[in-house]
Amino acid sequence: MKKVFAAFSALVLMCSTCASCARTDYLEERSHYAFGTVITAKIWGNPDSAADAAEKCFDELDRLDAVFSANSEKSELSRLNANAFAAAFPVSDELFYVIKTSLEYCSLSDGALDISLGRLVKLWAIGTENERVPAESEISPLLAADYTQIELDEESKTVHFLNEYVQIDLGAVAKGYAGDRMLEILSGCDVTGAVISLGGNIVAFGSKPDGGAFTIGVADPTSPSTLIATVDVSSGAVVTSGDYQRYFEENGARYHHILDAATGRPSESGIAGVTIICESSFEADCLSTAVFVLGKEKGLRLLAGTGAEAVIIERNGAVSTTPGISNCSYNYLGGTA
Ligand code: AMP
Ligand code: MG
């Protein structure tokens, strides 16, 4: 009897193991802290592969954080910032690629995206315990820095700062690059679908268990826990830059984290939030910050030359979209503004 029971239990165990192998609708939900923000991952597939994919994604995020962080003194970026004015400084292929691609968007956006304003970012320190409104005398010397003073050498993979005030900050783009790396990792894992949220950056991979696309919400900047619209994405990115994501208030004024390199102060383009939908999360992140600073009209003109779609929400509550937004099954839900 014992033997029969043992054989039966083994069979049950085998069946349940096989069943779990065959399952592709299992949902692994995890969270992780990297890039100064909470990262959440939902990954569908069989249980082992989904858990393995989550581990691989989080390990990669930790690795990337150690390259791109402007806050850790040990990061490769911090070492570059400490040395690249004195002489051309050699960097990894990966950091070189991210800086080079970002500079292309700095140029395309005529400096609305400007990765050279690290000193201004540190001066305002928005989102940290040191955040404050700096005196104009502290801001004005730093306006001497701009992205054209970052010189790259493709052969030697070196970066050289031509102005002592230049410091690279990749806060506007690094999570975007990381999102593309997540998509690469997921495509090498045996999973059917995933949604990973890195702060305001969301990447979707594959499809839902029912085969459909993922529906991603666009927050209402005046009430960020409320959705103003949704878009559908299968594999790609939905990236938002918003004045509600990181800010402090003083004397009734809001000081948010997206700076205008021309003034050295939080951008006042009239945009409260811009969401970019496109295949590449890196491109979406570059564009989201650029469009935020450019404002609606110039922003839409910039977007017209790309394959990206966008939802732009102005401070007065007006919502504008790119002409091709219906390709993303755009659904306007209405706002509170
Ligand atoms: P995002 O949320 O992608 O728009 O990026 C905002 C972050 O990028 C800030 O927290 C800063 O670290 C950095 N940043 C702020 N203003 C700019 C700008 N005009 N160009 C490039 N990076 C910026
Ligand atoms: Mg960005």
Side-chain angles (χ1 to χ4, degrees), residues 106 111-117 121 126 169-173 175 201 239-242 245-246 257-261 285-286 288-290 292-293:
C106 291
L113 178 75
D114 190 332
I115 59 166
S116 76
L117 43 65
V121 172
I126 292 168
D169 180 284
L170 297 173
V173 300
K175 279 189 281 171
N201 294 41
V239 174
T240 300
S241 287
Q245 291 171 328
R246 234 176 244 190
H257 69 311
I258 304 171
L259 305 177
D260 185 336
D285 207 3
C286 292
S288 71
T289 310
F292 189 99
V293 175

Side-chain angles (χ1 to χ4, degrees), residues 71-86:
N71 299 320
S72 154
E73 277 176 23
K74 289 192 193 133
S75 72
E76 188 183 0
L77 178 65
S78 294
R79 280 184 279 123
L80 166 70
N81 278 333
N83 293 291
F85 178 59

Side-chain angles (χ1 to χ4, degrees), residues 87-112:
F89 189 78
V91 295
S92 62
D93 287 357
E94 187 171 47
L95 183 55
F96 191 87
Y97 167 75
V98 169
I99 292 173
K100 185 178 170 212
T101 310
S102 302
L103 286 175
E104 286 164 13
Y105 285 93
C106 291
S107 168
L108 202 66
S109 66
D110 208 10

Side-chain angles (χ1 to χ4, degrees), residues 159-204:
V159 182
H160 190 194
F161 299 161
L162 306 181
N163 182 302
E164 64 179 310
Y165 292 113
V166 169
Q167 290 279 281
I168 294 180
D169 180 284
L170 297 173
V173 300
K175 279 189 281 171
Y177 171 76
D180 283 346
R181 289 289 304 132
M182 298 300 96
L183 293 177
E184 273 171 48
I185 287 172
L186 290 164
S187 66
C189 295
D190 183 22
V191 297
T192 54
V195 176
I196 300 185
S197 169
L198 308 98
N201 294 41
I202 293 172
V203 288

Side-chain angles (χ1 to χ4, degrees), residues 108-276:
L108 202 66
S109 66
D110 208 10
L113 178 75
D114 190 332
I115 59 166
S116 76
L117 43 65
R119 279 187 196 258
L120 279 168
V121 172
K122 286 230 162 88
L123 179 65
W124 284 87
I126 292 168
T128 77
E129 57 191 17
N130 300 322
E131 59 194 12
R132 68 187 175 91
V133 182
E136 203 49 53
S137 58
E138 294 174 282
I139 294 174
S140 52
L142 306 188
L143 299 179
D146 82 69
Y147 71 94
T148 63
Q149 295 154 342
I150 301 172
E151 193 176 70
L152 303 184
D153 187 90
E154 190 80 51
E155 281 280 287
S156 56
K157 293 281 185 312
T158 55
V159 182
H160 190 194
F161 299 161
L162 306 181
N163 182 302
E164 64 179 310
Y165 292 113
V166 169
Q167 290 279 281
I168 294 180
D169 180 284
L170 297 173
V173 300
K175 279 189 281 171
Y177 171 76
D180 283 346
R181 289 289 304 132
M182 298 300 96
L183 293 177
E184 273 171 48
I185 287 172
L186 290 164
S187 66
C189 295
D190 183 22
V191 297
T192 54
V195 176
I196 300 185
S197 169
L198 308 98
N201 294 41
I202 293 172
V203 288
F205 169 80
S207 56
K208 291 193 294 190
D210 68 5
F214 296 101
T215 299
I216 311 287
V218 177
D220 181 346
T222 56
S223 165
S225 56
T226 313
L227 298 185
I228 211 166
T230 61
V231 290
D232 283 2
V233 184
S234 296
S235 279
V238 180
V239 174
T240 300
S241 287
D243 67 2
Y244 56 91
Q245 291 171 328
R246 234 176 244 190
Y247 66 92
F248 68 96
E249 282 173 336
E250 201 174 283
N251 300 327
R254 176 179 292 198
Y255 298 93
H256 63 77
H257 69 311
I258 304 171
L259 305 177
D260 185 336
T263 61
R265 307 177 69 84
S267 157
E268 291 189 29
S269 65
I271 293 184
V274 52
T275 297
I276 306 285

